[in-house]
Amino acid sequence: MAHLLAKALSWPVPAVLTWLAAWALAWALRAAGAPLWAALVLPTALGACAALLPFVATTAWRRVFVAAGFPMSVLALGLTSGAGGQAGVAVAWWWLAPLALLLLAYPRRAWRDAPVFPTPRGALSELAKHVKLPPGARVVDAGCGMGDGLIELHRALPEARLEGVEWSTLWRAVSAWRCPWATVRRGDMWADDWSAFELVYLFQRPETMPRAMDKARREMRPGSWLVSLEFEARDADGLAWTPVARWELGGERPVWVYRIPRG
């Protein structure tokens, strides 16, 4: 039961519930005759405090979305108060458009994985110095987003057979358009079989790295390569893998290169 409840309340449900609670408080205060400033300040403070709770928002951007929801909707309603009838109501809810676009680009099922942050240009420029692959070797960007990782892999390993897997339909289409020389498909990177690839590239989050490492250990062939941008490979018990190579781009965002041990 607890597991089902946690799944039902996964992001962005906490954000929507917080916004509804803020509006309920605002309406209750106005109905009780509270001054306008109280009906605006107190619900805004409620949203800001809720944004600090770990079960509501776990990243900076999520905290911004939660905290800004109520004041943004109030601003929208104020700007459209002169419009009449149903048209005014429809226009007033324009503040929900960014959330709708976010859900289209980043479906709820994928919120536990890394947000869509692109691989910086030149991040993989040293990859060919450390990783030797035969021509036509299969390389996958697991969670390829908008294709920036594939572009950098193509620059670093031009003879590789590149593939991308992305759960978001929108980002898969964008990635396929930007990377016509790669095979980009919609799919779940966690359900994908990594045993067919010579190299797997990841740009995940610290929380999901242990899961990725467990998957790599179970599925990847001995001698194949795992490359992680920014986050070190660690097991569920916190033990760090030993990298074959490591470098940084401009003093930040290190690249970690690992090889699956033989035997």
Side-chain angles (χ1 to χ4, degrees), residues 4-52:
L4 294 177
L5 180 62
K7 186 175 181 180
L9 294 178
S10 62
W11 183 268
V13 173
V16 176
L17 293 178
T18 300
W19 297 338
L20 291 175
W23 269 108
L25 177 60
W27 286 328
L29 289 170
R30 291 300 286 166
L36 179 60
W37 69 264
L40 294 177
V41 172
L42 293 179
T44 299
L46 172 66
C49 292
L52 300 176

mmCIF file of all heavy atoms in Angstrom, residues 4-52:
data_model
loop_
_atom_site.group_PDB
_atom_site.id
_atom_site.type_symbol
_atom_site.label_atom_id
_atom_site.label_comp_id
_atom_site.label_asym_id
_atom_site.label_seq_id
_atom_site.Cartn_x
_atom_site.Cartn_y
_atom_site.Cartn_z
ATOM 1 N N LEU A 4 2.287 1.825 -3.432
ATOM 2 C CA LEU A 4 1.303 2.350 -4.380
ATOM 3 C C LEU A 4 1.020 3.823 -4.115
ATOM 4 O O LEU A 4 0.862 4.615 -5.051
ATOM 5 C CB LEU A 4 0.014 1.539 -4.282
ATOM 6 C CG LEU A 4 0.099 0.079 -4.732
ATOM 7 C CD1 LEU A 4 -1.231 -0.626 -4.501
ATOM 8 C CD2 LEU A 4 0.490 -0.008 -6.206
ATOM 9 N N LEU A 5 0.978 4.199 -2.831
ATOM 10 C CA LEU A 5 0.742 5.601 -2.496
ATOM 11 C C LEU A 5 1.892 6.472 -2.955
ATOM 12 O O LEU A 5 1.683 7.560 -3.519
ATOM 13 C CB LEU A 5 0.551 5.740 -0.982
ATOM 14 C CG LEU A 5 0.291 7.167 -0.462
ATOM 15 C CD1 LEU A 5 -1.001 7.701 -1.070
ATOM 16 C CD2 LEU A 5 0.217 7.173 1.054
ATOM 17 N N ALA A 6 3.127 5.992 -2.740
ATOM 18 C CA ALA A 6 4.298 6.755 -3.170
ATOM 19 C C ALA A 6 4.314 6.918 -4.680
ATOM 20 O O ALA A 6 4.664 7.978 -5.205
ATOM 21 C CB ALA A 6 5.570 6.057 -2.700
ATOM 22 N N LYS A 7 3.918 5.861 -5.405
ATOM 23 C CA LYS A 7 3.885 5.931 -6.870
ATOM 24 C C LYS A 7 2.819 6.898 -7.342
ATOM 25 O O LYS A 7 3.026 7.672 -8.281
ATOM 26 C CB LYS A 7 3.631 4.542 -7.441
ATOM 27 C CG LYS A 7 3.719 4.464 -8.960
ATOM 28 C CD LYS A 7 3.582 3.030 -9.446
ATOM 29 C CE LYS A 7 3.709 2.968 -10.967
ATOM 30 N NZ LYS A 7 3.568 1.559 -11.454
ATOM 31 N N ALA A 8 1.653 6.885 -6.673
ATOM 32 C CA ALA A 8 0.563 7.777 -7.064
ATOM 33 C C ALA A 8 0.909 9.233 -6.805
ATOM 34 O O ALA A 8 0.412 10.132 -7.495
ATOM 35 C CB ALA A 8 -0.706 7.396 -6.315
ATOM 36 N N LEU A 9 1.756 9.471 -5.808
ATOM 37 C CA LEU A 9 2.119 10.848 -5.448
ATOM 38 C C LEU A 9 3.462 11.270 -6.015
ATOM 39 O O LEU A 9 4.053 12.237 -5.557
ATOM 40 C CB LEU A 9 2.140 10.994 -3.925
ATOM 41 C CG LEU A 9 0.795 10.839 -3.219
ATOM 42 C CD1 LEU A 9 0.961 10.958 -1.724
ATOM 43 C CD2 LEU A 9 -0.218 11.861 -3.738
ATOM 44 N N SER A 10 3.938 10.559 -7.024
ATOM 45 C CA SER A 10 5.205 10.942 -7.638
ATOM 46 C C SER A 10 5.031 12.224 -8.436
ATOM 47 O O SER A 10 3.926 12.615 -8.809
ATOM 48 C CB SER A 10 5.724 9.811 -8.548
ATOM 49 O OG SER A 10 4.821 9.560 -9.606
ATOM 50 N N TRP A 11 6.138 12.896 -8.675
ATOM 51 C CA TRP A 11 6.138 14.179 -9.379
ATOM 52 C C TRP A 11 5.503 14.036 -10.751
ATOM 53 O O TRP A 11 5.692 13.028 -11.410
ATOM 54 C CB TRP A 11 7.583 14.648 -9.508
ATOM 55 C CG TRP A 11 7.726 15.984 -10.158
ATOM 56 C CD1 TRP A 11 7.902 16.222 -11.477
ATOM 57 C CD2 TRP A 11 7.682 17.256 -9.529
ATOM 58 N NE1 TRP A 11 7.964 17.566 -11.711
ATOM 59 C CE2 TRP A 11 7.824 18.232 -10.530
ATOM 60 C CE3 TRP A 11 7.512 17.669 -8.213
ATOM 61 C CZ2 TRP A 11 7.829 19.583 -10.261
ATOM 62 C CZ3 TRP A 11 7.519 19.020 -7.955
ATOM 63 C CH2 TRP A 11 7.676 19.967 -8.967
ATOM 64 N N PRO A 12 4.653 15.027 -11.211
ATOM 65 C CA PRO A 12 4.437 16.357 -10.627
ATOM 66 C C PRO A 12 3.201 16.479 -9.743
ATOM 67 O O PRO A 12 2.734 17.585 -9.500
ATOM 68 C CB PRO A 12 4.308 17.223 -11.867
ATOM 69 C CG PRO A 12 3.587 16.336 -12.839
ATOM 70 C CD PRO A 12 4.128 14.941 -12.590
ATOM 71 N N VAL A 13 2.628 15.350 -9.288
ATOM 72 C CA VAL A 13 1.428 15.413 -8.448
ATOM 73 C C VAL A 13 1.639 16.297 -7.215
ATOM 74 O O VAL A 13 0.755 17.113 -6.882
ATOM 75 C CB VAL A 13 0.991 13.992 -8.045
ATOM 76 C CG1 VAL A 13 -0.150 14.035 -7.039
ATOM 77 C CG2 VAL A 13 0.565 13.204 -9.285
ATOM 78 N N PRO A 14 2.782 16.212 -6.504
ATOM 79 C CA PRO A 14 2.958 17.095 -5.340
ATOM 80 C C PRO A 14 2.885 18.579 -5.698
ATOM 81 O O PRO A 14 2.389 19.388 -4.894
ATOM 82 C CB PRO A 14 4.346 16.719 -4.814
ATOM 83 C CG PRO A 14 4.546 15.309 -5.274
ATOM 84 C CD PRO A 14 3.894 15.247 -6.617
ATOM 85 N N ALA A 15 3.374 18.937 -6.874
ATOM 86 C CA ALA A 15 3.313 20.345 -7.286
ATOM 87 C C ALA A 15 1.869 20.790 -7.482
ATOM 88 O O ALA A 15 1.457 21.858 -7.005
ATOM 89 C CB ALA A 15 4.108 20.539 -8.580
ATOM 90 N N VAL A 16 1.080 19.977 -8.159
ATOM 91 C CA VAL A 16 -0.323 20.325 -8.409
ATOM 92 C C VAL A 16 -1.094 20.406 -7.089
ATOM 93 O O VAL A 16 -1.889 21.335 -6.874
ATOM 94 C CB VAL A 16 -0.964 19.294 -9.352
ATOM 95 C CG1 VAL A 16 -2.456 19.593 -9.539
ATOM 96 C CG2 VAL A 16 -0.265 19.296 -10.705
ATOM 97 N N LEU A 17 -0.862 19.454 -6.194
ATOM 98 C CA LEU A 17 -1.546 19.472 -4.897
ATOM 99 C C LEU A 17 -1.169 20.709 -4.081
ATOM 100 O O LEU A 17 -2.010 21.295 -3.389
ATOM 101 C CB LEU A 17 -1.214 18.206 -4.117
ATOM 102 C CG LEU A 17 -1.762 16.897 -4.698
ATOM 103 C CD1 LEU A 17 -1.322 15.712 -3.856
ATOM 104 C CD2 LEU A 17 -3.280 16.941 -4.812
ATOM 105 N N THR A 18 0.093 21.119 -4.170
ATOM 106 C CA THR A 18 0.521 22.330 -3.462
ATOM 107 C C THR A 18 -0.176 23.555 -4.009
ATOM 108 O O THR A 18 -0.637 24.434 -3.250
ATOM 109 C CB THR A 18 2.048 22.499 -3.570
ATOM 110 O OG1 THR A 18 2.691 21.358 -2.992
ATOM 111 C CG2 THR A 18 2.507 23.757 -2.850
ATOM 112 N N TRP A 19 -0.267 23.653 -5.338
ATOM 113 C CA TRP A 19 -0.952 24.800 -5.945
ATOM 114 C C TRP A 19 -2.427 24.832 -5.533
ATOM 115 O O TRP A 19 -2.976 25.895 -5.227
ATOM 116 C CB TRP A 19 -0.827 24.738 -7.460
ATOM 117 C CG TRP A 19 0.572 24.823 -7.956
ATOM 118 C CD1 TRP A 19 1.648 25.351 -7.306
ATOM 119 C CD2 TRP A 19 1.063 24.341 -9.206
ATOM 120 N NE1 TRP A 19 2.773 25.236 -8.073
ATOM 121 C CE2 TRP A 19 2.454 24.631 -9.251
ATOM 122 C CE3 TRP A 19 0.493 23.711 -10.290
ATOM 123 C CZ2 TRP A 19 3.252 24.290 -10.325
ATOM 124 C CZ3 TRP A 19 1.287 23.373 -11.386
ATOM 125 C CH2 TRP A 19 2.649 23.664 -11.389
ATOM 126 N N LEU A 20 -3.074 23.672 -5.528
ATOM 127 C CA LEU A 20 -4.479 23.614 -5.127
ATOM 128 C C LEU A 20 -4.646 24.019 -3.662
ATOM 129 O O LEU A 20 -5.597 24.731 -3.304
ATOM 130 C CB LEU A 20 -5.026 22.209 -5.357
ATOM 131 C CG LEU A 20 -5.175 21.770 -6.821
ATOM 132 C CD1 LEU A 20 -5.623 20.313 -6.898
ATOM 133 C CD2 LEU A 20 -6.165 22.670 -7.564
ATOM 134 N N ALA A 21 -3.717 23.574 -2.811
ATOM 135 C CA ALA A 21 -3.781 23.943 -1.396
ATOM 136 C C ALA A 21 -3.614 25.441 -1.210
ATOM 137 O O ALA A 21 -4.297 26.061 -0.374
ATOM 138 C CB ALA A 21 -2.710 23.181 -0.618
ATOM 139 N N ALA A 22 -2.712 26.045 -1.987
ATOM 140 C CA ALA A 22 -2.499 27.489 -1.893
ATOM 141 C C ALA A 22 -3.756 28.249 -2.307
ATOM 142 O O ALA A 22 -4.157 29.224 -1.642
ATOM 143 C CB ALA A 22 -1.308 27.897 -2.763
ATOM 144 N N TRP A 23 -4.394 27.798 -3.395
ATOM 145 C CA TRP A 23 -5.623 28.457 -3.829
ATOM 146 C C TRP A 23 -6.752 28.244 -2.829
ATOM 147 O O TRP A 23 -7.556 29.150 -2.576
ATOM 148 C CB TRP A 23 -6.026 27.958 -5.219
ATOM 149 C CG TRP A 23 -5.444 28.804 -6.305
ATOM 150 C CD1 TRP A 23 -4.445 28.486 -7.167
ATOM 151 C CD2 TRP A 23 -5.835 30.134 -6.626
ATOM 152 N NE1 TRP A 23 -4.169 29.530 -8.006
ATOM 153 C CE2 TRP A 23 -5.012 30.557 -7.703
ATOM 154 C CE3 TRP A 23 -6.786 31.019 -6.113
ATOM 155 C CZ2 TRP A 23 -5.127 31.824 -8.269
ATOM 156 C CZ3 TRP A 23 -6.898 32.289 -6.684
ATOM 157 C CH2 TRP A 23 -6.069 32.673 -7.752
ATOM 158 N N ALA A 24 -6.830 27.051 -2.238
ATOM 159 C CA ALA A 24 -7.864 26.799 -1.238
ATOM 160 C C ALA A 24 -7.696 27.718 -0.035
ATOM 161 O O ALA A 24 -8.678 28.257 0.507
ATOM 162 C CB ALA A 24 -7.813 25.329 -0.809
ATOM 163 N N LEU A 25 -6.449 27.924 0.378
ATOM 164 C CA LEU A 25 -6.175 28.839 1.487
ATOM 165 C C LEU A 25 -6.545 30.270 1.124
ATOM 166 O O LEU A 25 -7.135 31.003 1.939
ATOM 167 C CB LEU A 25 -4.702 28.747 1.883
ATOM 168 C CG LEU A 25 -4.239 29.703 2.995
ATOM 169 C CD1 LEU A 25 -5.028 29.452 4.281
ATOM 170 C CD2 LEU A 25 -2.738 29.546 3.236
ATOM 171 N N ALA A 26 -6.222 30.681 -0.103
ATOM 172 C CA ALA A 26 -6.542 32.040 -0.541
ATOM 173 C C ALA A 26 -8.049 32.278 -0.538
ATOM 174 O O ALA A 26 -8.537 33.312 -0.051
ATOM 175 C CB ALA A 26 -5.970 32.282 -1.936
ATOM 176 N N TRP A 27 -8.796 31.318 -1.076
ATOM 177 C CA TRP A 27 -10.260 31.466 -1.109
ATOM 178 C C TRP A 27 -10.841 31.467 0.308
ATOM 179 O O TRP A 27 -11.781 32.209 0.610
ATOM 180 C CB TRP A 27 -10.871 30.333 -1.932
ATOM 181 C CG TRP A 27 -10.653 30.490 -3.409
ATOM 182 C CD1 TRP A 27 -10.574 31.659 -4.098
ATOM 183 C CD2 TRP A 27 -10.480 29.441 -4.355
ATOM 184 N NE1 TRP A 27 -10.349 31.409 -5.440
ATOM 185 C CE2 TRP A 27 -10.298 30.053 -5.627
ATOM 186 C CE3 TRP A 27 -10.455 28.060 -4.277
ATOM 187 C CZ2 TRP A 27 -10.096 29.316 -6.785
ATOM 188 C CZ3 TRP A 27 -10.268 27.319 -5.449
ATOM 189 C CH2 TRP A 27 -10.086 27.943 -6.677
ATOM 190 N N ALA A 28 -10.298 30.619 1.176
ATOM 191 C CA ALA A 28 -10.793 30.563 2.556
ATOM 192 C C ALA A 28 -10.535 31.884 3.282
ATOM 193 O O ALA A 28 -11.393 32.381 4.027
ATOM 194 C CB ALA A 28 -10.129 29.408 3.301
ATOM 195 N N LEU A 29 -9.369 32.456 3.082
ATOM 196 C CA LEU A 29 -9.045 33.728 3.720
ATOM 197 C C LEU A 29 -9.947 34.846 3.223
ATOM 198 O O LEU A 29 -10.421 35.675 4.019
ATOM 199 C CB LEU A 29 -7.571 34.072 3.451
ATOM 200 C CG LEU A 29 -6.538 33.211 4.192
ATOM 201 C CD1 LEU A 29 -5.135 33.478 3.673
ATOM 202 C CD2 LEU A 29 -6.616 33.466 5.701
ATOM 203 N N ARG A 30 -10.214 34.879 1.927
ATOM 204 C CA ARG A 30 -11.088 35.925 1.387
ATOM 205 C C ARG A 30 -12.514 35.746 1.874
ATOM 206 O O ARG A 30 -13.208 36.713 2.187
ATOM 207 C CB ARG A 30 -11.055 35.900 -0.144
ATOM 208 C CG ARG A 30 -9.727 36.336 -0.720
ATOM 209 C CD ARG A 30 -9.372 37.754 -0.316
ATOM 210 N NE ARG A 30 -10.165 38.750 -1.029
ATOM 211 C CZ ARG A 30 -10.253 40.026 -0.691
ATOM 212 N NH1 ARG A 30 -9.623 40.470 0.384
ATOM 213 N NH2 ARG A 30 -10.978 40.867 -1.406
ATOM 214 N N ALA A 31 -12.954 34.466 1.971
ATOM 215 C CA ALA A 31 -14.310 34.199 2.463
ATOM 216 C C ALA A 31 -14.460 34.607 3.920
ATOM 217 O O ALA A 31 -15.547 34.995 4.368
ATOM 218 C CB ALA A 31 -14.642 32.716 2.289
ATOM 219 N N ALA A 32 -13.355 34.523 4.668
ATOM 220 C CA ALA A 32 -13.389 34.898 6.080
ATOM 221 C C ALA A 32 -13.202 36.392 6.280
ATOM 222 O O ALA A 32 -13.172 36.871 7.427
ATOM 223 C CB ALA A 32 -12.303 34.139 6.838
ATOM 224 N N GLY A 33 -13.054 37.143 5.202
ATOM 225 C CA GLY A 33 -12.920 38.586 5.297
ATOM 226 C C GLY A 33 -11.512 39.071 5.536
ATOM 227 O O GLY A 33 -11.313 40.222 5.943
ATOM 228 N N ALA A 34 -10.518 38.209 5.308
ATOM 229 C CA ALA A 34 -9.118 38.611 5.493
ATOM 230 C C ALA A 34 -8.736 39.661 4.461
ATOM 231 O O ALA A 34 -9.276 39.678 3.346
ATOM 232 C CB ALA A 34 -8.210 37.389 5.377
ATOM 233 N N PRO A 35 -7.813 40.544 4.797
ATOM 234 C CA PRO A 35 -7.373 41.549 3.818
ATOM 235 C C PRO A 35 -6.699 40.893 2.610
ATOM 236 O O PRO A 35 -6.194 39.769 2.693
ATOM 237 C CB PRO A 35 -6.387 42.410 4.608
ATOM 238 C CG PRO A 35 -5.949 41.552 5.735
ATOM 239 C CD PRO A 35 -7.123 40.680 6.078
ATOM 240 N N LEU A 36 -6.683 41.618 1.495
ATOM 241 C CA LEU A 36 -6.151 41.079 0.262
ATOM 242 C C LEU A 36 -4.692 40.665 0.406
ATOM 243 O O LEU A 36 -4.271 39.628 -0.117
ATOM 244 C CB LEU A 36 -6.293 42.110 -0.864
ATOM 245 C CG LEU A 36 -5.744 41.690 -2.240
ATOM 246 C CD1 LEU A 36 -6.457 40.444 -2.755
ATOM 247 C CD2 LEU A 36 -5.888 42.838 -3.242
ATOM 248 N N TRP A 37 -3.918 41.479 1.143
ATOM 249 C CA TRP A 37 -2.488 41.150 1.267
ATOM 250 C C TRP A 37 -2.290 39.797 1.936
ATOM 251 O O TRP A 37 -1.398 39.026 1.574
ATOM 252 C CB TRP A 37 -1.747 42.245 2.031
ATOM 253 C CG TRP A 37 -2.089 42.335 3.502
ATOM 254 C CD1 TRP A 37 -2.999 43.164 4.087
ATOM 255 C CD2 TRP A 37 -1.515 41.547 4.556
ATOM 256 N NE1 TRP A 37 -3.049 42.958 5.453
ATOM 257 C CE2 TRP A 37 -2.136 41.964 5.759
ATOM 258 C CE3 TRP A 37 -0.554 40.567 4.624
ATOM 259 C CZ2 TRP A 37 -1.826 41.415 7.004
ATOM 260 C CZ3 TRP A 37 -0.229 40.013 5.857
ATOM 261 C CH2 TRP A 37 -0.859 40.432 7.017
ATOM 262 N N ALA A 38 -3.145 39.488 2.932
ATOM 263 C CA ALA A 38 -3.029 38.204 3.622
ATOM 264 C C ALA A 38 -3.410 37.053 2.700
ATOM 265 O O ALA A 38 -2.782 35.986 2.718
ATOM 266 C CB ALA A 38 -3.914 38.194 4.866
ATOM 267 N N ALA A 39 -4.430 37.263 1.860
ATOM 268 C CA ALA A 39 -4.878 36.226 0.933
ATOM 269 C C ALA A 39 -3.863 35.974 -0.181
ATOM 270 O O ALA A 39 -3.943 34.952 -0.865
ATOM 271 C CB ALA A 39 -6.223 36.604 0.327
ATOM 272 N N LEU A 40 -2.924 36.896 -0.342
ATOM 273 C CA LEU A 40 -1.875 36.701 -1.347
ATOM 274 C C LEU A 40 -0.570 36.204 -0.712
ATOM 275 O O LEU A 40 0.062 35.278 -1.217
ATOM 276 C CB LEU A 40 -1.614 38.016 -2.089
ATOM 277 C CG LEU A 40 -2.765 38.539 -2.947
ATOM 278 C CD1 LEU A 40 -2.383 39.885 -3.564
ATOM 279 C CD2 LEU A 40 -3.134 37.544 -4.038
ATOM 280 N N VAL A 41 -0.205 36.816 0.404
ATOM 281 C CA VAL A 41 1.086 36.496 1.022
ATOM 282 C C VAL A 41 1.091 35.112 1.661
ATOM 283 O O VAL A 41 2.038 34.330 1.487
ATOM 284 C CB VAL A 41 1.462 37.571 2.052
ATOM 285 C CG1 VAL A 41 2.708 37.149 2.839
ATOM 286 C CG2 VAL A 41 1.703 38.908 1.360
ATOM 287 N N LEU A 42 0.043 34.792 2.402
ATOM 288 C CA LEU A 42 0.037 33.521 3.131
ATOM 289 C C LEU A 42 0.029 32.305 2.189
ATOM 290 O O LEU A 42 0.795 31.353 2.408
ATOM 291 C CB LEU A 42 -1.138 33.484 4.107
ATOM 292 C CG LEU A 42 -1.053 34.491 5.264
ATOM 293 C CD1 LEU A 42 -2.275 34.387 6.176
ATOM 294 C CD2 LEU A 42 0.228 34.277 6.057
ATOM 295 N N PRO A 43 -0.811 32.262 1.130
ATOM 296 C CA PRO A 43 -0.730 31.135 0.200
ATOM 297 C C PRO A 43 0.618 31.059 -0.521
ATOM 298 O O PRO A 43 1.122 29.960 -0.803
ATOM 299 C CB PRO A 43 -1.867 31.391 -0.790
ATOM 300 C CG PRO A 43 -2.834 32.221 -0.025
ATOM 301 C CD PRO A 43 -1.984 33.101 0.838
ATOM 302 N N THR A 44 1.201 32.223 -0.825
ATOM 303 C CA THR A 44 2.524 32.215 -1.449
ATOM 304 C C THR A 44 3.552 31.616 -0.503
ATOM 305 O O THR A 44 4.407 30.819 -0.906
ATOM 306 C CB THR A 44 2.947 33.639 -1.851
ATOM 307 O OG1 THR A 44 2.001 34.156 -2.794
ATOM 308 C CG2 THR A 44 4.335 33.635 -2.474
ATOM 309 N N ALA A 45 3.460 31.988 0.781
ATOM 310 C CA ALA A 45 4.367 31.426 1.777
ATOM 311 C C ALA A 45 4.140 29.926 1.933
ATOM 312 O O ALA A 45 5.095 29.158 2.115
ATOM 313 C CB ALA A 45 4.161 32.132 3.116
ATOM 314 N N LEU A 46 2.884 29.486 1.837
ATOM 315 C CA LEU A 46 2.582 28.054 1.908
ATOM 316 C C LEU A 46 3.285 27.300 0.784
ATOM 317 O O LEU A 46 3.910 26.253 1.014
ATOM 318 C CB LEU A 46 1.069 27.836 1.828
ATOM 319 C CG LEU A 46 0.613 26.373 1.692
ATOM 320 C CD1 LEU A 46 0.964 25.592 2.944
ATOM 321 C CD2 LEU A 46 -0.895 26.319 1.427
ATOM 322 N N GLY A 47 3.199 27.830 -0.431
ATOM 323 C CA GLY A 47 3.860 27.187 -1.568
ATOM 324 C C GLY A 47 5.362 27.161 -1.417
ATOM 325 O O GLY A 47 6.012 26.152 -1.719
ATOM 326 N N ALA A 48 5.928 28.273 -0.924
ATOM 327 C CA ALA A 48 7.380 28.337 -0.756
ATOM 328 C C ALA A 48 7.857 27.349 0.302
ATOM 329 O O ALA A 48 8.894 26.694 0.133
ATOM 330 C CB ALA A 48 7.788 29.764 -0.385
ATOM 331 N N CYS A 49 7.114 27.225 1.401
ATOM 332 C CA CYS A 49 7.502 26.279 2.455
ATOM 333 C C CYS A 49 7.350 24.841 1.982
ATOM 334 O O CYS A 49 8.200 23.986 2.254
ATOM 335 C CB CYS A 49 6.658 26.521 3.707
ATOM 336 S SG CYS A 49 7.007 28.088 4.542
ATOM 337 N N ALA A 50 6.270 24.568 1.259
ATOM 338 C CA ALA A 50 6.056 23.216 0.745
ATOM 339 C C ALA A 50 7.161 22.813 -0.224
ATOM 340 O O ALA A 50 7.556 21.647 -0.283
ATOM 341 C CB ALA A 50 4.695 23.122 0.066
ATOM 342 N N ALA A 51 7.668 23.779 -0.979
ATOM 343 C CA ALA A 51 8.721 23.492 -1.955
ATOM 344 C C ALA A 51 10.000 22.996 -1.297
ATOM 345 O O ALA A 51 10.825 22.344 -1.953
ATOM 346 C CB ALA A 51 9.017 24.734 -2.793
ATOM 347 N N LEU A 52 10.174 23.295 -0.020
ATOM 348 C CA LEU A 52 11.374 22.870 0.699
ATOM 349 C C LEU A 52 11.277 21.448 1.232
ATOM 350 O O LEU A 52 12.281 20.882 1.668
ATOM 351 C CB LEU A 52 11.650 23.828 1.858
ATOM 352 C CG LEU A 52 11.897 25.300 1.472
ATOM 353 C CD1 LEU A 52 12.066 26.139 2.725
ATOM 354 C CD2 LEU A 52 13.118 25.414 0.570
#
